[in-house]
Amino acid sequence: MLALCVALLCFAPSVIGQEWLSDPRTNLRPNNITGLPYYIYRWTGSYYNGSTTIRIEPQEFEENTNKDTKVSYPVQVTYKNSILAIVKSNTYVEDQNEVTFSLRYWDSNLNIAPIFDIADGPINSIQNIDSVDMNRDSRPSGTQPPYWQLESSHDSETSYSFSGKRNFTVLQSLKFNCSECLSSSEFRGSIVNPLRRSGPDPLNVTSFPFVRGQFNNRSASLTITGTYVGGSRAESDRDNEVHLGGPITISFLGEIDELRSDTLLPSRNGTPLWNKTLGYTKSLYDNSGTAVWAESIVPSAFVLAAMTTFLNIDTTSNMVLSDREKNVFLARLNGQAGRYKVTKQILQKEIEAGIEPNPEEQKLLSIAYSKLQHALRDSWRVMLAVEQEEKAKEGSDLVSVIEEARKGVETELESLCDEVIHLVEEKITLSATSDETRLFCLKMKADYNRYIAECTAEDKRAAKTDLARAAYGDAIKLAQDKFDPGNPHRLSVMVNAAVFYHDFVNMEEHAIELTESELSKAMEAVADSTDADVRAIMNILHANLQLWKLDAEQ
């Protein structure tokens, strides 16, 4: 094993020129490599897609004036389109924290495609809550310390948490729309700090806004508490402003955006640690096959130490690897380098030979195909959005060009999904000797039939939907019959099946009932469990349930 690592180091070039290199102090990814949309994705770290809920308990805050809270009931607004970024801090910032967070949310009516970041583009309508100014420049503006004073901790494995309070620098501004708040205009205000001088304070603000977050490689949650003061006023009606003030809670729940996130690693000192991949090892090889390194010379001893630690290699052992162990190592190595096609090819050889994949091989195979299909589905959605915009223009000559390109992505996605389904049905299922492997096969079959159905022509959609429905039904039955309610394999099936029922086949009530039932059983089964994977999946189930119930009420 040591010889293999040394051989890899010998072939690594010291420096290869690039147009643009990341300044390591900013922790920015090389933007000419990642090609990722919007400035929020430019920093090394984890990105989560989910929903943001804003809840305010109104109170009187200006006695004996007409500038008082006119809403007497609790106000709750949910934004389904939200991104939470938790990233490495920028060392240009004075007194920087161990982590930086940025919560962004926007109205569902906002069309953020095409994805180009232009000065007057839709990105300006995305609302931000940041611990530092994560603007579009390479460095945060100014030299002010972070807006939030955060402390982070390492909970277990690759799970972390952070918490802290807002400081005196700048009030946290907040904007939102609230149709139930006696106004159709946008509410604007701030989450306020305690008064710095004596004076009347009807809202009795005694503490600074407080934030608490938890995150890992599967999901994240964030909660901000404080006191809100603001109002809504139409430009043409200055006399009828609707004031709103009182305790506020902002909560986010979401799951990892694997395509745009770096992988969290265990930490020795409590500070979150990421395996810097996007723009680096995930783009390790360009079209000519030349290795591309985004940073300058890295000492061989340091690289070797990092590899032995991260890949769990015992360099003091004279262990001789079997062919299968070597293949698993190479599959894992290529996966960490972002070479998912190579990962799946390595594992396919074992599977084609009739060998039942073990749990680690199943996980590696699932991740490799997941990364590949995510990229294709994201491309398809972007092309579809651009195509729809062109169709809205009179006499556009680009519609047919975009449509042809989109259909090319459809064909590529269908081919990838068919490859998975064939591998599962014709190979893995036949070699399966355990319920875990059988459940893995049913879930993969259901998921990849669904992916084809989502991005295909009408004539194929019905057939693929029926195949996905049948496979999810079989997977649910096997999971409930053979696995405990708190088993992560069972919970994972329930998450995907419920999303299919709710979002794709309009079985909203069934999705809610299934999620509620499984979540209740899981909570009883793992009441005292600290398993990060189980907790992460339960958080996703809970977030979905909240959103779907809110939709049903509205």
Side-chain angles (χ1 to χ4, degrees):
M1 183 66 70
L2 178 59
L4 175 61
C5 294
V6 173
L8 288 171
L9 290 172
C10 291
F11 285 100
S14 57
V15 181
I16 301 258
Q18 290 187 163
E19 295 178 7
W20 193 90
L21 295 179
S22 171
D23 180 345
R25 290 187 65 190
T26 67
N27 301 311
L28 285 174
R29 299 159 168 170
N31 58 9
N32 67 328
I33 293 179
T34 61
L36 295 175
Y38 292 134
Y39 64 103
I40 189 173
Y41 296 117
R42 292 177 63 192
W43 292 29
T44 295
S46 299
Y47 298 85
Y48 304 88
N49 298 323
S51 63
T52 297
T53 298
I54 301 170
R55 182 178 176 87
I56 300 173
E57 304 283 346
Q59 292 181 358
E60 292 186 2
F61 64 97
E62 289 197 28
E63 296 180 353
N64 302 321
T65 74
N66 61 352
K67 293 182 178 181
D68 204 355
T69 297
K70 296 183 179 181
V71 183
S72 59
Y73 44 82
V75 169
Q76 183 164 303
V77 182
T78 297
Y79 288 85
K80 294 183 180 180
N81 297 332
S82 301
I83 297 172
L84 174 64
I86 302 175
V87 302
K88 291 181 64 176
S89 290
N90 184 320
T91 55
Y92 282 110
V93 178
E94 180 183 338
D95 298 327
Q96 77 273 12
N97 296 307
E98 295 171 338
V99 293
T100 292
F101 79 85
S102 174
L103 175 62
R104 307 199 185 280
Y105 59 90
W106 62 95
D107 192 87
S108 58
N109 296 324
L110 179 65
N111 179 15
I112 61 171
I115 59 177
F116 305 114
D117 181 8
I118 56 179
D120 59 348
I123 191 171
N124 297 299
S125 297
I126 298 177
Q127 306 304 321
N128 312 320
I129 299 177
D130 302 332
S131 58
V132 299
D133 186 5
M134 292 180 68
N135 57 16
R136 303 179 208 189
D137 298 325
S138 59
R139 304 181 187 182
S141 59
T143 58
Q144 294 296 323
Y147 305 138
W148 297 79
Q149 298 300 318
L150 307 176
E151 293 185 0
S152 62
S153 61
H154 179 212
D155 299 337
S156 63
E157 297 295 330
T158 56
S159 294
Y160 295 87
S161 60
F162 65 89
S163 61
K165 66 179 183 179
R166 186 84 177 178
N167 58 30
F168 269 119
T169 54
V170 182
L171 293 181
Q172 175 62 66
S173 62
L174 191 69
K175 299 178 184 179
F176 59 90
N177 292 302
C178 180
S179 59
E180 60 184 89
C181 301
L182 308 179
S183 173
S184 59
S185 300
E186 182 179 61
F187 277 78
R188 300 186 179 192
S190 300
I191 305 177
V192 297
N193 297 334
L195 293 177
R196 302 184 70 170
R197 60 182 183 276
S198 61
D201 181 16
L203 286 176
N204 191 30
V205 181
T206 59
S207 60
F208 288 87
F210 191 81
V211 63
R212 183 184 305 277
Q214 294 179 302
F215 62 104
N216 54 38
N217 283 322
R218 298 290 297 273
S219 65
S221 63
L222 183 82
T223 303
I224 297 172
T225 55
T227 303
Y228 173 80
V229 175
S232 170
R233 179 183 62 197
E235 292 296 327
S236 59
D237 191 9
R238 294 177 175 271
D239 295 329
N240 291 317
E241 183 171 1
V242 175
H243 293 268
L244 186 62
I248 186 172
T249 300
I250 303 171
S251 56
F252 170 90
L253 281 173
E255 56 183 306
I256 193 75
D257 184 343
E258 294 182 347
L259 188 65
R260 297 175 176 86
S261 298
D262 299 288
T263 303
L264 278 164
L265 305 175
S267 172
R268 295 179 179 178
N269 60 5
T271 301
L273 178 65
W274 283 270
N275 180 33
K276 189 184 294 185
T277 53
L278 272 178
Y280 300 92
T281 55
K282 281 191 180 179
S283 297
L284 191 59
Y285 294 91
D286 61 17
N287 293 335
S288 64
T290 305
V292 177
W293 292 79
E295 298 184 276
S296 56
I297 300 174
V298 181
S300 297
F302 175 80
V303 176
L304 178 58
M307 291 177 67
T308 55
T309 300
F310 183 64
L311 298 174
N312 297 319
I313 303 170
D314 182 3
T315 56
T316 64
S317 171
N318 293 321
M319 173 185 64
V320 178
L321 293 177
S322 68
D323 288 342
R324 187 173 184 180
E325 290 171 330
K326 179 181 177 182
N327 285 335
V328 170
F329 168 77
L330 290 173
R332 189 190 318 129
L333 178 65
N334 278 279
Q336 293 300 331
R339 305 182 70 214
Y340 301 110
K341 288 185 178 179
V342 178
T343 294
K344 74 178 181 66
Q345 288 167 357
I346 292 171
L347 296 170
Q348 277 176 325
K349 292 179 182 179
E350 298 284 337
I351 295 167
E352 293 286 351
I355 299 174
E356 178 182 6
N358 60 34
E360 182 178 10
E361 291 165 337
Q362 291 176 23
K363 183 177 181 180
L364 290 171
L365 188 71
S366 177
I367 291 173
Y369 275 113
S370 177
K371 296 287 188 180
L372 294 171
Q373 61 86 6
H374 266 299
L376 289 171
R377 289 166 69 206
D378 279 358
S379 298
W380 185 88
R381 292 188 188 105
V382 170
M383 289 183 180
L384 181 64
V386 176
E387 181 182 338
Q388 290 171 344
E389 283 198 345
E390 285 299 317
K391 284 181 177 179
K393 301 175 183 177
E394 292 185 7
S396 174
D397 296 328
L398 295 176
V399 174
S400 60
V401 176
I402 301 170
E403 184 178 11
E404 183 179 356
R406 177 178 56 78
K407 288 183 176 178
V409 176
E410 284 182 18
T411 301
E412 191 176 349
L413 176 63
E414 185 174 352
S415 176
L416 179 76
C417 293
D418 283 339
E419 180 181 295
V420 176
I421 295 167
H422 168 79
L423 201 64
V424 165
E425 290 185 332
E426 303 298 328
K427 298 297 179 180
I428 305 178
T429 299
L430 299 180
S431 65
T433 60
S434 68
D435 290 328
E436 285 79 6
T437 300
R438 295 186 186 96
L439 189 63
F440 170 80
C441 291
L442 288 171
K443 181 178 178 295
M444 293 285 279
K445 180 180 176 180
D447 289 343
Y448 284 83
N449 273 299
R450 171 164 65 96
Y451 300 150
I452 296 177
E454 288 176 353
C455 306
T456 193
E458 291 290 343
D459 57 337
K460 296 180 181 178
R461 186 170 301 160
K464 289 297 182 180
T465 300
D466 288 342
L467 289 171
R469 193 200 314 264
Y472 278 127
D474 292 341
I476 290 172
K477 185 177 186 307
L478 179 61
Q480 291 176 334
D481 289 347
K482 300 293 185 179
F483 295 83
D484 293 333
N487 184 283
H489 300 299
R490 171 170 169 166
L491 292 172
S492 181
V493 166
M494 300 308 166
V495 168
N496 288 21
V499 169
F500 170 75
Y501 292 138
H502 188 276
D503 295 350
F504 201 70
V505 293
N506 299 320
M507 297 174 62
E508 291 88 351
E509 290 185 6
H510 181 60
I512 291 174
E513 290 173 1
L514 176 65
T515 302
E516 198 163 32
S517 173
E518 289 296 322
L519 184 60
S520 175
K521 293 174 184 176
M523 290 175 68
E524 291 182 11
V526 299
D528 300 322
S529 174
T530 59
D531 188 291
D533 286 342
V534 171
R535 289 295 179 185
I537 302 173
M538 288 175 64
N539 282 341
I540 295 171
L541 285 167
H542 185 261
N544 288 344
L545 185 61
Q546 282 187 319
L547 285 175
W548 294 342
K549 281 188 171 182
L550 184 62
D551 284 344
E553 291 172 1
Q554 294 177 344

